[in-house]
Amino acid sequence: MFSDSIKKGANNAPHRALYHALGLTNEEIDRPLVGIVSSYNEIVPGHMNIDKIVDAVKLGVAMAGGTPVVFPAIAVCDGIAMGHRGMKYSLVTRDLIADSTEAMALAHGFDALVMVPNCDKNVPGLLMAAARLNIPTIFVSGGPMLAGRVDGCKTSFSSISEAVGKFAAGTIDEKKLEEYEVKGCPTCGSCSGMYTANSMNCLTEVLGMGLKGNGTIPAVYSQRIELAKRAGMQIMKLIEKDIKPLDIMTEKAFMNALTVDMALGCSTNSMLHLPAIAHECGIDINLDVANGISAKTPNLCHLAPAGSTYMEDLNEAGGVYAVMNELSKKDLLNLDCMTVTGKTVGENIADCVNKDPEVIRPIDNPYSTTGGIAVLRGNLAPDSCVVKRSAVCEEMLVHSGPARVFDCEEDAMAAITGGKINEGDVVVIRYEGPKGGPGMREMLNPTSAIMGMGLGSKVALITDGRFSGATRGAAIGHISPEAAVGGVIGVVNEGDIISINIPENTITLEVPQDEIDRRLANFTPKTKELHGYLKRYAKLVTSGAQGAILKD
């Protein structure tokens, strides 16, 4: 055990003295030292219950013969950060989380880690740290929120955001808006649709780093506490068998994750996070591979915001393993990948049947024969951009219209809610990319306003920023290169025609190439006065097409 190097022998008496200062007994000091990375805080609804999860993990570790020691990880609530400067600090925390966890784990010589994340950047940040550290590690999340109910129908965070647009359009009154506000998010947990947090917790199962149910068991279920205890016990088996993250997160495992991503219809943010996690594993994921996987992977689930089912429904239908079982019927998964269960993917999913074909479509009756995410390219996005195809209405899969250009989210939002966007328009929001934002803000408010005002089947939105998993509609993000580094999106003029063809994976600025070249030659990107962490982040961050990883 690594901790023996700082616990055993006369020379390490000072270390042992500090362990005793913690109240540890000799028996506890002699056991494997298991770090429990707790992202508990009192500002994120998806994290307010994590103290209970951590207590259960500690009990599981102790029952199995380890010594649990808790240390923290930060987490930002994207919903609370949405629509103001706080959102600049969301994506950037992914690297802070990875860096600080690496520092804590190595400084204190832990033999293994149990990661307890839940919301958007917390999960990929800790997966990145797990890859760097490569000591036995298991994940157990805080779990999803239950859906709310308004007028007898299930609702979620995206329903509330769209209600704001309905209120602006005059189709609901203030009393109804307040009802959505009060009833939309009824419990703790990560928001109840297939948004980014739940997408990444589900994909953690697929990668093999979490036990069955990690992504779907609701936060308020006692079964979540049982899962945490089992995770605490299982980490001791991983120590015994010396199974480490890089044994699990192989290239084949990432291909599985991309495949299930397509079947579930996950958040487009997965196209940022999976490449970043893979990078820490020494694996390069070119986003073009996503379209190849999408072409052969049917979309089996339409969870909110794409449809009217929620995480609790997916859990009852058999969860992520049931989806994987369906995919295995057409040999779409690598079944020999190792997982934290100590068994292969094939062994894990063998008996996990689909219990509700309305929630998880059978493999022979999918929502579509292609996957839920599409990567587009064209002269407007030569390095790629991303759309959640499963959440786009049929009539907007192919669209052409005049550009309505805005240099920040706030200006676009004012135009949308002010009734200045017309049917057929393509809203362009630029200078919101990884460098230009900086921090690549999510554009949930503008997309929700478009949907709420009844324009979802008539207006597209493109941005070098990104979208919340709660976004639906023809919302195309991660336009790369971004405006701040001289990308073509920076020289789009008001009224230029933009053509989008999602089935053919193309996006085109309908301007002659010599005119585009002329504009680029005379183009100086706008700059912003930056301070503190954002200044350092903007200097190091790469494009959305590369997962917005940090490089010198």
Side-chain angles (χ1 to χ4, degrees), residues 89 92-93 95-96 99 531-538 550:
Y89 288 89
V92 305
T93 64
D95 295 274
L96 283 176
D99 292 348
H531 305 279
Y533 180 53
L534 289 183
K535 184 175 183 178
R536 284 182 281 131
Y537 182 86
L550 301 186

Side-chain angles (χ1 to χ4, degrees), residues 332-404:
L332 294 174
L333 295 176
N334 300 294
L335 300 181
D336 58 347
C337 295
M338 179 52 60
T339 72
V340 291
T341 66
K343 300 177 181 179
T344 64
V345 167
E347 291 172 310
N348 286 343
I349 68 174
D351 299 319
C352 298
V353 299
N354 181 357
K355 299 176 182 178
D356 190 339
E358 297 301 314
V359 177
I360 305 171
R361 288 282 186 92
I363 193 76
D364 293 322
N365 182 33
Y367 282 101
S368 66
T369 57
T370 54
I373 289 178
V375 176
L376 315 184
R377 287 184 188 266
N379 65 354
L380 187 52
D383 290 348
S384 78
C385 55
V386 179
V387 61
K388 189 171 184 174
R389 173 165 47 191
S390 60
V392 180
C393 61
E394 188 72 25
E395 52 266 51
M396 289 300 293
L397 290 173
V398 178
H399 179 77
S400 185
R404 304 297 307 281

Side-chain angles (χ1 to χ4, degrees), residues 323-526:
V323 175
M324 295 174 74
N325 194 315
E326 287 289 343
L327 294 171
S328 72
K329 294 175 183 178
K330 290 200 172 180
D331 298 322
L332 294 174
L333 295 176
N334 300 294
L335 300 181
D336 58 347
C337 295
M338 179 52 60
T339 72
V340 291
T341 66
K343 300 177 181 179
T344 64
V345 167
E347 291 172 310
N348 286 343
I349 68 174
D351 299 319
C352 298
V353 299
N354 181 357
K355 299 176 182 178
D356 190 339
E358 297 301 314
V359 177
I360 305 171
R361 288 282 186 92
I363 193 76
D364 293 322
N365 182 33
Y367 282 101
S368 66
T369 57
T370 54
I373 289 178
V375 176
L376 315 184
R377 287 184 188 266
N379 65 354
L380 187 52
D383 290 348
S384 78
C385 55
V386 179
V387 61
K388 189 171 184 174
R389 173 165 47 191
S390 60
V392 180
C393 61
E394 188 72 25
E395 52 266 51
M396 289 300 293
L397 290 173
V398 178
H399 179 77
S400 185
R404 304 297 307 281
V405 183
F406 305 94
D407 286 346
C408 67
E409 177 190 3
E410 289 82 356
D411 290 350
M413 189 66 181
I416 295 166
T417 57
K420 296 179 181 179
I421 300 302
N422 305 310
E423 294 184 10
D425 285 348
V426 178
V427 176
V428 178
I429 307 178
R430 59 194 181 192
Y431 294 104
E432 292 287 6
K435 286 185 178 292
M440 209 176 185
R441 288 197 291 180
E442 291 182 342
M443 304 290 124
L444 176 61
N445 287 351
T447 56
S448 295
I450 287 170
M451 297 302 297
M453 297 181 76
L455 296 172
S457 62
K458 304 174 181 70
V459 169
L461 189 152
I462 71 170
T463 180
D464 52 11
R466 60 195 178 94
F467 296 109
S468 164
T471 286
R472 63 188 179 107
I476 299 167
H478 311 188
I479 298 280
S480 299
E482 60 177 294
V485 298
V488 174
I489 190 174
V491 297
V492 176
N493 290 338
E494 186 83 5
D496 285 347
I497 300 300
I498 294 173
S499 296
I500 298 161
N501 191 317
I502 295 173
E504 294 187 5
N505 305 110
T506 62
I507 183 167
T508 306
L509 177 63
E510 302 289 359
V511 171
Q513 188 59 49
D514 58 350
E515 171 61 13
I516 294 174
D517 292 341
R518 186 192 67 77
R519 292 183 191 180
L520 288 173
N522 294 293
F523 176 48
T524 301
K526 294 182 178 181

Side-chain angles (χ1 to χ4, degrees), residues 140-197:
V140 55
S141 75
M145 185 184 290
L146 293 178
R149 286 186 181 273
V150 174
D151 297 330
C153 297
K154 288 184 177 180
T155 60
S156 61
F157 185 74
S158 56
S159 308
I160 309 164
S161 298
E162 290 180 18
V164 174
K166 293 178 182 178
F167 177 72
T171 57
I172 64 171
D173 60 17
E174 188 172 356
K175 185 176 181 182
K176 179 58 68 175
L177 178 61
E178 184 179 358
E179 184 179 359
Y180 274 100
E181 175 186 327
V182 172
K183 295 182 177 179
C185 296
T187 71
C188 62
S190 47
C191 294
S192 55
M194 187 54 78
Y195 309 149
T196 305

Side-chain angles (χ1 to χ4, degrees), residues 206-338:
V206 182
L207 283 170
M209 292 297 292
L211 299 176
K212 179 186 177 186
N214 178 70
T216 59
I217 298 171
V220 295
Y221 283 13
S222 297
Q223 191 181 0
R224 175 65 54 179
I225 301 296
E226 295 179 28
L227 179 71
K229 290 176 184 175
R230 288 199 299 274
M233 291 186 281
Q234 185 63 23
I235 192 63
M236 300 307 295
K237 294 181 181 178
L238 295 178
I239 294 173
E240 178 186 344
K241 296 179 179 180
D242 196 32
I243 298 175
K244 298 172 183 159
L246 295 185
D247 300 321
I248 295 170
M249 291 193 288
T250 62
E251 186 171 359
K252 286 183 177 181
F254 281 100
M255 294 306 104
N256 283 349
L258 285 168
T259 299
V260 179
D261 189 330
M262 297 299 171
L264 286 173
C266 289
S267 164
T268 52
N269 280 317
S270 64
M271 294 295 105
L272 285 175
H273 299 322
L274 287 175
I277 300 161
H279 175 74
E280 297 290 350
C281 296
I283 299 166
D284 180 37
I285 292 182
N286 184 315
L287 284 186
D288 287 334
V289 76
N291 283 339
I293 290 174
S294 178
K296 62 181 181 180
T297 305
N299 178 227
L300 304 182
C301 299
H302 266 193
L303 285 90
S308 58
T309 54
Y310 295 81
M311 295 306 297
E312 62 202 68
D313 302 312
L314 179 59
N315 187 61
E316 293 301 317
V320 175
Y321 278 15
V323 175
M324 295 174 74
N325 194 315
E326 287 289 343
L327 294 171
S328 72
K329 294 175 183 178
K330 290 200 172 180
D331 298 322
L332 294 174
L333 295 176
N334 300 294
L335 300 181
D336 58 347
C337 295
M338 179 52 60

